[in-house]
Amino acid sequence: MDRAIPPWRSRSAGSVYSEIRDLHSRFGADQFLFVDDNFVGPRPEHKEDLRVFASLMSELERDVVFGMETHPRDVDLPLFADLKRAGLAFVAIGFETYSTSQLRNMKKGSSPGIIDDALAILKELRVPSYLNTILVDDRSTLSDLERTLVFLENNLTDQTFNLIGHMEARIGTEMLHRIHGEYNLDERKRPHYAMHDEKLRSVSRILLSAMGANYSLTQDLWRLLWLEWRALFKLDALHEISPSSITRQLVAEKNRFTIELVRHVLEKGYGMADGEIPGFIRDIRAQVDEFRTSFVQKIELCFMWVSYLCQQSGKSFPQFKSTRTSIMPNFDADQLWLARMQLER
């Protein structure tokens, strides 16, 4: 066994394809998500298996789309081009941080260059991606966070399908103390929570509250990206996605707000006294609510556009509630035109 490569077992491409085909035939299932931190796999032969899988999925005649999670180092242009033709509708990437020292401490086997290459490939293919970060851990420094924010500002605030997803502050917080307490872990086995920069502890606490309030809009927007891609894939019209598309405008706007929110937390919350934190969290939530009020109207207009695409492609539009209201697929051409004009102002 090569101990440099972690244990990893996969099912055969034919087995997975047969199950998808069966579920599609029997129940009409047409959206699948592969839930694994590394869908591609660590060995070269795993990429060959995926090429076989992509070839098999192409037999479903644009009726099925799928999403996956993977590592930045596994984003390969020829492979992902094959997967896109087979129905790859989005990629979730835990790139975690743009700081070389943080990546090394986390033992991610990644680097800023690998992250840049992965995003460049996804941009070229125009496959939506969902980017997850670990902003604060026990060895984070203020400069680490700054590098990640600059990276996000440079890549995700204009003409992008790359939506900022989870931004975790996961170590050195009250939350993990409670988790370990609930599982009754031996005190000697509990991780040490002393942070390298204790002034970031207050930032962690604030971000846990701020990003939670910010996340529901992210979920709505991500669902719209998924449904838009599914409809355009069925219509063989993915080439029509343009830099000025409604969804791309909203993704960029949401990313800008998220980055500005984190910057505000860093500037004001770094080293904040415990007694000041509750009031500051209330102020942050008020900012999120104010943004939500205007942004949710744009999301609802975007629901019209995606609903229309679903009608055109013969695909159903799920009857789920957005942040404020339920949008149904019964809009005529005049309403669609009005929605587009309002968004383009």
Side-chain angles (χ1 to χ4, degrees):
M1 171 185 279
D2 183 353
R3 295 190 180 278
I5 299 177
W8 197 89
R9 184 176 64 180
S10 64
R11 291 172 56 187
S12 71
S15 170
V16 175
Y17 167 72
S18 295
E19 184 174 349
I20 288 175
R21 182 184 59 187
D22 181 57
L23 291 170
H24 178 57
S25 174
R26 293 172 59 192
F27 305 109
D30 62 1
Q31 300 174 70
F32 293 85
L33 172 61
F34 292 93
V35 182
D36 190 306
D37 286 346
N38 189 353
F39 176 72
V40 175
R43 296 178 181 273
E45 56 265 33
H46 294 142
K47 290 188 176 182
E48 293 305 315
D49 291 341
L50 282 181
R51 289 188 175 91
V52 173
F53 173 73
S55 176
L56 292 171
M57 289 292 290
S58 298
E59 297 177 11
L60 294 177
E61 298 182 348
R62 299 184 173 276
D63 269 345
V64 172
V65 297
F66 59 94
M68 68 177 194
E69 301 178 42
T70 196
H71 189 284
R73 66 172 176 263
D74 293 323
V75 180
D76 170 273
L77 181 56
L79 173 61
F80 275 66
D82 289 344
L83 290 170
K84 177 185 175 182
R85 286 189 288 270
L88 176 62
F90 81 85
V91 180
I93 297 181
F95 81 92
E96 316 306 10
T97 174
Y98 201 68
S99 163
T100 301
S101 59
Q102 269 191 299
L103 289 168
R104 185 168 53 249
N105 290 335
M106 294 176 187
K107 299 180 180 180
K108 289 294 181 178
S110 186
S111 69
I114 289 173
I115 294 168
D116 289 339
D117 291 344
L119 291 192
I121 289 170
L122 294 172
K123 181 178 180 180
E124 179 176 343
L125 295 174
R126 293 193 288 188
V127 173
S129 58
Y130 190 78
L131 303 179
N132 296 322
T133 66
I134 299 174
L135 275 180
V136 184
D137 66 12
D138 59 338
R139 286 169 286 189
S140 298
T141 66
L142 196 59
S143 61
D144 291 331
L145 274 66
E146 176 65 23
R147 290 188 188 97
T148 299
L149 287 177
V150 169
F151 163 75
L152 295 175
E153 286 171 337
N154 290 341
N155 290 276
L156 305 180
T157 55
D158 183 46
Q159 299 184 8
T160 181
F161 278 133
N162 299 325
L163 180 63
I164 297 172
H166 298 289
M167 300 185 79
E168 297 182 23
R170 70 179 195 176
I171 294 181
T173 64
E174 297 290 334
M175 178 180 288
L176 287 192
H177 279 298
R178 291 198 301 271
I179 289 173
H180 286 286
E182 288 170 6
Y183 283 93
N184 297 314
L185 294 184
D186 188 303
E187 186 68 35
R188 292 168 298 177
K189 297 180 181 179
R190 296 185 189 184
H192 181 54
Y193 289 99
M195 298 183 73
H196 179 77
D197 183 350
E198 280 293 330
K199 290 184 178 180
L200 283 175
R201 189 179 297 274
S202 56
V203 171
S204 292
R205 290 180 57 187
I206 297 164
L207 284 176
L208 281 169
S209 296
M211 300 318 294
N214 189 39
Y215 186 59
S216 62
L217 290 175
T218 303
Q219 292 176 305
D220 277 350
L221 191 49
W222 189 248
R223 176 65 69 88
L224 288 171
L225 281 171
W226 169 277
L227 293 173
E228 179 188 52
W229 204 100
R230 181 187 64 159
L232 292 173
F233 180 65
K234 179 63 177 177
L235 292 167
D236 194 16
L238 287 173
H239 58 281
E240 295 184 5
I241 298 177
S242 72
S244 61
S245 70
I246 291 172
T247 44
R248 290 184 80 165
Q249 290 179 47
L250 293 188
V251 166
E253 182 177 347
K254 178 61 169 58
N255 287 342
R256 285 193 294 271
F257 175 75
T258 299
I259 294 167
E260 290 169 2
L261 189 70
V262 175
R263 279 208 172 278
H264 181 60
V265 171
L266 285 178
E267 290 171 3
K268 303 295 184 181
Y270 182 66
M272 181 174 282
D274 288 349
E276 298 177 85
I277 290 177
F280 186 63
I281 288 175
R282 286 194 294 271
D283 291 342
I284 291 292
R285 288 179 172 171
Q287 290 182 39
V288 174
D289 288 342
E290 182 179 355
F291 176 79
R292 184 197 307 272
T293 300
S294 61
F295 193 74
V296 73
Q297 296 172 356
K298 298 176 184 179
I299 282 186
E300 289 170 356
L301 293 172
C302 194
F303 267 63
M304 292 186 186
W305 163 243
V306 176
S307 171
Y308 171 78
L309 286 178
C310 289
Q311 287 180 335
Q312 295 298 106
S313 67
K315 292 291 186 179
S316 62
F317 185 83
Q319 298 181 21
F320 66 93
K321 287 191 175 183
S322 71
T323 309
R324 183 175 287 181
T325 187
S326 180
I327 306 297
M328 301 297 293
N330 58 354
F331 303 100
D332 60 28
D334 289 339
Q335 288 174 304
L336 176 62
W337 177 85
L338 178 61
R340 297 192 71 169
M341 290 304 101
Q342 290 176 342
L343 280 166
E344 290 169 2
R345 285 178 182 173

